[in-house]
Amino acid sequence: MGSRSNVVIDGIRQMITSGELVAGSRLPVERELGARLGVSRGPLREGVRALVVLGVLETRQGDGTYVTSLEPGQLLEPLGMLAELQSPENAVHLLGVRRVLEPEAAAHAALRISDDELAEARRILERGEAILAGGDGDIDLEATIDVDTEFHRVIANASGNPAFAALIDALVGRTARARLWRAIHQRGAVHDTQREHRAILDALEAHDPDRARIRMSVHVLGVEDYTERHVDEQPVDDAD
């Protein structure tokens, strides 16, 4: 990207951070904005396109360009793409990031989680138990990973911190294949995961942040440790 388009990006960023533009604001028309930033049409459009990709701006056909809602989930979506492109070795690094974030999210959730959110978490784990009830030979491992992902997202959302929730949402789905690899190759892993989820839920129901933090740390560390020890065995397509 050229230096002139970077001028556009920096200029619009400053207009947002100063409060001149807020979520939902319409950008000035192209000629006015270009004159203000001292750039021609080409770099202006290039800079605007970059901010659209990043989720900062959105174009509305026939109606101009607007600042988005600037919600963390939207702004952090490119992080999900970055995670998708990681090698098996870097899947371990992503799990390490989860190990830092998720225990704190669980601790926050223990203090804030609502009865409805607890009920949703219970329903998710009950669905997981129904999947496991068929016996080891009949377990739908993909479905257990879906349960795992949904459970972690409920907790992240219950933390009350949109940035936590967006970061975890961007990472939890992208480490699914590493978790699936463990489920396939480590006997009893899916049952261990269900027990760990139940222990986390117990801590949330007790509104005990310290216990929730510890239970989540143990849970995520188990996946990280297994992935790190067996990273050389994973096909590239099976770790993201």
Side-chain angles (χ1 to χ4, degrees):
M1 187 177 299
S3 61
R4 302 308 295 163
S5 57
N6 285 333
V7 169
V8 176
I9 293 171
D10 288 342
I12 294 174
R13 176 181 56 80
Q14 290 170 9
M15 292 167 73
I16 293 172
T17 56
S18 71
E20 180 181 350
L21 293 175
V22 299
S25 293
R26 188 181 188 277
L27 258 63
V29 297
E30 190 174 84
R31 179 178 296 179
E32 178 186 337
L33 185 59
R36 175 171 173 175
L37 298 176
V39 297
S40 61
R41 179 184 296 176
L44 179 63
R45 290 183 173 179
E46 186 178 356
V48 167
R49 278 197 300 269
L51 290 172
V52 169
V53 170
L54 291 172
V56 176
L57 300 178
E58 60 181 348
T59 56
R60 301 177 187 174
Q61 190 65 35
D63 192 30
T65 303
Y66 289 78
V67 179
T68 67
S69 63
L70 301 177
E71 291 293 327
Q74 187 167 20
L75 297 179
L76 290 170
E77 181 60 29
L79 175 63
M81 176 64 73
L82 175 63
E84 291 278 8
L85 299 175
Q86 297 303 294
S87 64
E89 293 83 358
N90 285 337
V92 178
H93 299 157
L94 294 178
L95 288 164
V97 174
R98 284 187 59 195
R99 180 164 49 85
V100 173
L101 294 174
E102 292 206 61
E104 291 309 309
H108 282 268
L111 297 173
R112 304 174 60 97
I113 195 164
S114 68
D115 289 343
D116 287 345
E117 288 166 328
L118 284 171
E120 183 180 359
R122 286 189 211 102
R123 284 193 295 270
I124 291 168
L125 294 192
E126 286 166 3
R127 194 165 79 248
E129 285 164 2
I131 294 167
L132 298 181
D136 289 345
D138 299 317
I139 294 175
D140 182 344
L141 295 179
E142 293 276 5
T144 69
I145 298 303
D146 290 341
V147 165
D148 189 343
T149 298
E150 289 178 37
F151 182 69
H152 284 268
R153 283 176 174 155
V154 168
I155 296 171
N157 289 329
S159 73
N161 184 323
F164 263 151
L167 284 166
I168 291 168
D169 187 59
L171 292 171
V172 72
R174 274 71 182 190
T175 57
R177 290 184 185 174
R179 304 198 309 278
L180 180 59
W181 179 259
R182 180 196 184 205
I184 292 169
H185 294 279
Q186 185 179 21
R187 185 175 180 81
V190 289
H191 295 281
D192 291 343
T193 294
Q194 184 72 10
R195 283 193 293 271
E196 290 164 5
H197 283 167
R198 276 292 174 189
I200 294 166
L201 181 57
D202 288 346
L204 295 175
E205 290 177 328
H207 299 287
D208 186 332
D210 292 332
R211 195 192 311 173
R213 182 185 292 112
I214 292 168
R215 295 296 192 186
M216 182 64 80
S217 295
V218 170
H219 173 56
V220 180
L221 181 59
V223 183
E224 182 186 351
D225 276 349
Y226 184 87
T227 303
E228 186 170 18
R229 282 187 276 112
H230 298 272
V231 68
D232 292 338
E233 302 168 17
Q234 296 187 44
V236 171
D237 289 341
D238 278 356
D240 56 7

